[in-house]
Amino acid sequence: MADDATRPRLLTGDRPTGRLHLGHLVGSLRERVALQGTHECFNIVADLHTLTTRPRAEQIRELPHNVRDMVLDLLSVGIDPEQTVIYLQSGVPAVYDLAILLQMLTPTARLQQLDSVRDMAAAANIEGQMSLGLLGYPVLQAADILMARAELVPVGGDNLAHVEIARELATRFNELYGPLFTPPQARSSRVRMLPGVGDEDDRARKMSKSVQNAIWLIDDTATVRAKVKTLDRAGLAAFADAFVADVAEREALVAGAEGDTSEAALVDAVCSAIERELAPIRARRAELGDERGRIEEILVDGTISARQVAYETLQRVRELMGLESLWEGLVAATEARAQARKSPYG
Ligand code: TRP
């Protein structure tokens, strides 16, 4: 393993709102696993971000369970806590501080343009009453990315605009206060989008946990097959493209889906490709069993590492902005006065 100091940093992650599905796998999880050997990796469990659309007490009470399921899913796809820092966002207070400072550099008009933010408001039925927190979603995400000084951010298409905001904020910060941040690069997987499974409406939308049109990583073989069978030819072609690893076989199937390959053969090919990928995931999950203690330990260890990194960055930010010297100056002046009071005759 290369020395951490020489490896570029990578950061990505998800909101803990439910289990992970095949869309996550093709959109980003595969890349996270593949890049573990070459990058210093951070995987955020973005619980604060869930509050942007789910702030109610009963929704917050679901978090511990969802966080645990998410970590279990991450471990089962092969994210290795020895190589990737898996951490809980709300456990890193320096991120709140950094987010506030970055807000000062963010034009609200820039955020109001974003489809992603408007789509999230629509999905949560709060279009007319978007909170400042939801509008600021991308700024908090930029704080996550920049606190780790991440250079690479593997995300799905819906998050590309947020990485762009992080780039703009990095550049703006550097212009105003001095060079600190390398503007982070987004990275999308080869497969940009996986359609949902189910009825016509479900299939017209991308696979998503909120629509419940997903094949979950925990689905068993029979369930996967039943769901694959709901796909039409176009859907089967998209799945073949996403899951068949061999390039020649993949291209032949995608071409065949337009005409001469039977639907039954497409279903078989897609199912066996999915099974090949899910089998080791299931095996790892079975191995982990219900090791609640192990999962908590991984998350706590990761969060402690993330805190350290975030605190270092925040310190640098405060120094460059002049906030640290302001504070230190006040402390020094106060100490000098206290000394003078204690020994008034020098
Ligand atoms: N916005 C991501 C999602 O859609 C979660 C997230 C929060 C994230 N902070 C991040 C992703 C930083 C990449 C980098 O769930």
Side-chain angles (χ1 to χ4, degrees):
M1 201 196 317
D3 185 358
D4 276 356
T6 65
R7 292 195 287 170
R9 288 223 180 113
L10 172 161
L11 186 141
T12 190
D14 319 84
R15 282 161 290 172
T17 51
R19 306 227 52 145
L20 297 174
H21 53 63
L22 293 186
H24 296 114
L25 190 67
V26 303
S28 148
L29 294 171
R30 280 176 184 162
E31 304 235 80
R32 289 183 215 181
V33 174
L35 294 169
Q36 284 185 122
T38 50
H39 289 68
E40 189 186 350
C41 297
F42 290 81
N43 193 115
I44 184 172
V45 180
D47 58 339
L48 292 174
H49 273 112
T50 68
L51 304 182
T52 60
T53 54
R54 300 172 58 81
R56 304 167 69 92
E58 64 271 22
Q59 294 169 325
I60 294 172
R61 274 197 293 276
E62 293 172 10
L63 281 172
H65 179 79
N66 288 343
V67 166
R68 187 183 153 276
D69 278 353
M70 171 154 286
V71 176
L72 200 57
D73 281 347
L74 292 172
L75 298 175
S76 62
V77 298
I79 299 210
D80 172 5
E82 299 290 322
Q83 300 189 79
T84 294
V85 172
I86 303 175
Y87 75 97
L88 186 67
Q89 184 183 32
S90 67
V92 185
V95 165
Y96 303 51
D97 299 38
L98 188 56
I100 276 223
L101 298 174
L102 293 176
Q103 282 170 22
M104 311 303 170
L105 311 185
T106 314
T108 51
R110 177 74 178 91
L111 299 172
Q112 274 151 355
Q113 296 167 350
L114 295 173
D115 289 339
S116 60
V117 170
R118 272 194 249 130
D119 290 350
M120 284 189 276
N125 282 317
I126 50 171
E127 276 161 301
Q129 44 205 318
M130 181 171 330
S131 67
L132 188 54
L134 181 54
L135 185 65
Y137 184 114
V139 184
L140 180 57
Q141 186 164 348
D144 297 329
I145 296 166
L146 298 181
M147 77 90 188
R149 318 254 212 110
E151 291 175 38
L152 193 66
V153 187
V155 285
D158 52 344
N159 268 268
L160 290 174
H162 299 172
V163 181
E164 189 52 38
I165 299 274
R167 288 177 63 80
E168 289 167 17
L169 285 170
T171 306
R172 185 84 184 118
F173 184 96
N174 294 346
E175 279 166 11
L176 289 176
Y177 310 112
L180 176 62
F181 296 116
T182 305
Q185 284 285 348
R187 173 169 163 141
S188 309
S189 58
R190 181 184 66 81
V191 183
R192 285 289 182 97
M193 206 272 289
L194 195 65
V197 293
D199 65 23
E200 210 179 315
D201 281 351
D202 292 333
R203 283 185 275 116
R205 305 172 70 175
K206 72 164 190 162
M207 187 175 287
S208 123
K209 42 192 164 186
S210 52
V211 184
Q212 290 288 323
N213 58 354
I215 297 179
W216 305 97
L217 297 181
I218 54 167
D219 282 347
D220 61 23
T221 305
T223 308
V224 170
R225 195 171 179 87
K227 289 182 177 177
V228 168
K229 279 184 157 171
T230 67
L231 294 165
D232 59 13
R233 280 180 171 274
L236 287 165
F239 270 64
D241 181 50
F243 290 98
V244 176
D246 182 76
V247 182
E249 189 191 341
R250 177 166 79 223
E251 284 169 0
L253 273 168
V254 172
E258 294 200 345
D260 45 342
T261 307
S262 77
E263 224 164 287
L266 288 169
V267 168
D268 283 345
V270 165
C271 284
S272 65
I274 293 175
E275 286 302 311
R276 212 168 298 141
E277 200 157 346
L278 286 186
I281 295 177
R282 292 192 190 114
R284 262 187 238 107
R285 184 178 305 100
E287 227 170 85
L288 285 160
D290 202 28
E291 284 200 73
R292 183 177 284 269
R294 176 82 188 110
I295 287 176
E296 280 163 5
E297 194 174 49
I298 286 168
L299 204 52
V300 169
D301 283 355
T303 305
I304 290 169
S305 302
R307 272 190 194 201
Q308 207 150 7
V309 167
Y311 184 72
E312 281 165 23
T313 302
L314 181 64
Q315 253 346 72
R316 290 287 294 133
V317 163
R318 288 174 53 88
E319 275 163 27
L320 285 168
M321 291 180 76
L323 294 169
E324 198 52 35
S325 56
L326 171 64
W327 173 242
E328 278 164 1
L330 290 168
V331 170
T334 305
E335 272 167 7
R337 261 197 317 282
Q339 274 306 323
R341 262 184 242 120
K342 262 193 257 163
S343 43
Y345 308 110

